[in-house]
């Protein structure tokens, strides 16, 4: 007979709206003030950021002397834009239009993080704080996620320009300059190793 004396007691059922709420991210479109040839919602963007943050974290540990918790980086990346289900996706030109607007929006994001956290069962809140509340993410992990987010923006802009959409030409130049200023060697690793293939067709990728 198996020993069941150490089995933890199951928690009493508590209804939480958390996951139903953040599932609405699929309906929130990004780049809302630009004409898009390729639509992108916040849910799919979060997945792409998480996959790129994954390889950035792996590269840091493998090639650049890092000791980051790769899984923690990926989980935080998956949740990094959840607050937008409350705030909406604020276009960068508006978000960073002035120090006053940036400060006000950051305060709104902070409040939204905590409102989402409050939807979770009490027993899980401590587990979610370091991935859901931006101010409590490990700074090194946050840097990797921001780099992954910028890479995603660059790939999106390049795809739009390649599709013949001049609406994204200036944004592509701006984001490329931001990446050039990024001193994370993992960013250069990704841009040299993986980014060039994004411009290929499926037939070219399969050759």
């Amino acid at each position: 007979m198996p020993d069941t004396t150490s089995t933890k007691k199951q928690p009493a059922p508590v209804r939480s709206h958390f996951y139903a709420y953040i599932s609405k991210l699929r309906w929130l479109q990004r780049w809302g003030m630009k004409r898009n040839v390729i639509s992108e919602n916040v849910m799919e963007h979060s997945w792409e950021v998480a996959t790129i943050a994954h390889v950035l974290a792996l590269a840091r540990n493998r090639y650049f002397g890092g000791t980051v918790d790769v899984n923690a980086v990926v989980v935080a990346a998956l949740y990094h834009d959840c607050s937008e289900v409350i705030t909406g996706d604020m276009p960068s030109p508006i978000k960073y239009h002035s120090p006053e607007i940036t400060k006000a929006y950051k305060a709104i994001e902070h409040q939204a993080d905590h409102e989402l956290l409050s939807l979770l069962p009490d027993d899980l809140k401590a587990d979610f704080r370091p991935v859901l509340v931006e101010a409590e993410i490990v700074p090194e992990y946050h840097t990797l996620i921001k780099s992954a987010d910028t890479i995603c923006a660059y790939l999106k802009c390049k795809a739009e320009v390649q599709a013949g959409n001049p609406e994204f030409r200036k944004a592509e130049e701006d984001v490329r300059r931001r990446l050039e200023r990024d001193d994370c060697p993992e960013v250069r690793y990704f841009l040299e190793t993986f980014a060039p293939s994004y411009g290929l067709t499926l037939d070219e990728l399969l050759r």
Side-chain angles (χ1 to χ4, degrees):
M1 294 289 291
D3 181 9
T4 59
T5 57
S6 62
T7 301
K8 291 184 178 180
K9 183 179 179 181
Q10 293 294 311
V14 176
R15 178 173 294 182
S16 169
H17 295 324
F18 178 80
Y19 281 103
Y21 198 6
I22 67 171
S23 74
K24 305 301 182 184
L25 289 169
R26 76 184 71 221
W27 309 123
L28 185 58
Q29 296 299 309
R30 287 171 49 80
W31 305 91
M33 293 187 68
K34 291 183 179 292
R35 178 178 64 84
N36 286 252
V37 173
I38 307 161
S39 64
E40 180 184 56
N41 66 57
V42 175
M43 183 177 283
E44 59 192 1
H45 165 73
S46 298
W47 178 87
E48 187 170 36
V49 171
T51 59
I52 293 177
H54 180 214
V55 76
L56 294 184
L58 286 173
R60 174 163 293 190
N61 288 352
R62 176 78 64 176
Y63 305 121
F64 305 111
T67 57
V68 301
D69 183 336
V70 175
N71 291 335
V73 173
V74 174
V75 173
L78 278 171
Y79 288 98
H80 83 284
D81 271 345
C82 280
S83 65
E84 290 187 3
V85 78
I86 295 174
T87 67
D89 177 49
M90 176 72 77
S92 292
I94 296 176
K95 186 175 180 179
Y96 300 106
H97 178 72
S98 70
E100 292 78 14
I101 290 177
T102 301
K103 182 178 179 181
Y105 189 74
K106 286 294 184 182
I108 292 170
E109 284 183 322
H110 180 74
Q111 180 63 31
D113 288 344
H114 285 275
E115 288 191 15
L116 285 176
L117 187 68
S118 72
L119 296 177
L120 288 157
D122 288 342
D123 291 345
L124 296 178
K125 287 177 181 176
D127 300 294
F128 273 82
R129 290 186 73 91
V131 298
L132 193 62
V133 178
E134 181 178 355
E136 299 192 26
I137 297 174
V138 175
E140 186 176 9
Y141 302 172
H142 187 262
T143 298
L144 288 168
I145 294 166
K146 290 297 291 182
S147 293
D149 198 28
T150 305
I151 289 171
C152 287
Y154 177 63
L155 296 173
K156 159 69 173 176
C157 292
K158 281 188 69 68
E160 289 285 343
V161 172
Q162 186 174 356
N165 184 2
E167 182 82 14
F168 280 79
R169 188 173 295 124
K170 180 63 166 60
E172 180 191 0
E173 295 171 359
D174 291 344
V175 179
R176 185 181 68 248
R177 282 195 290 268
R178 280 163 54 194
L179 288 174
E180 289 170 351
R181 293 193 299 268
D182 193 319
D183 59 2
C184 290
E186 302 83 12
V187 170
R188 292 191 295 277
Y189 169 78
F190 184 93
L191 294 176
E192 292 170 359
T193 305
F194 299 107
S197 299
Y198 278 75
L200 301 178
T201 65
L202 177 61
D203 292 330
E204 291 169 330
L205 289 170
L206 293 176
R207 284 178 183 172

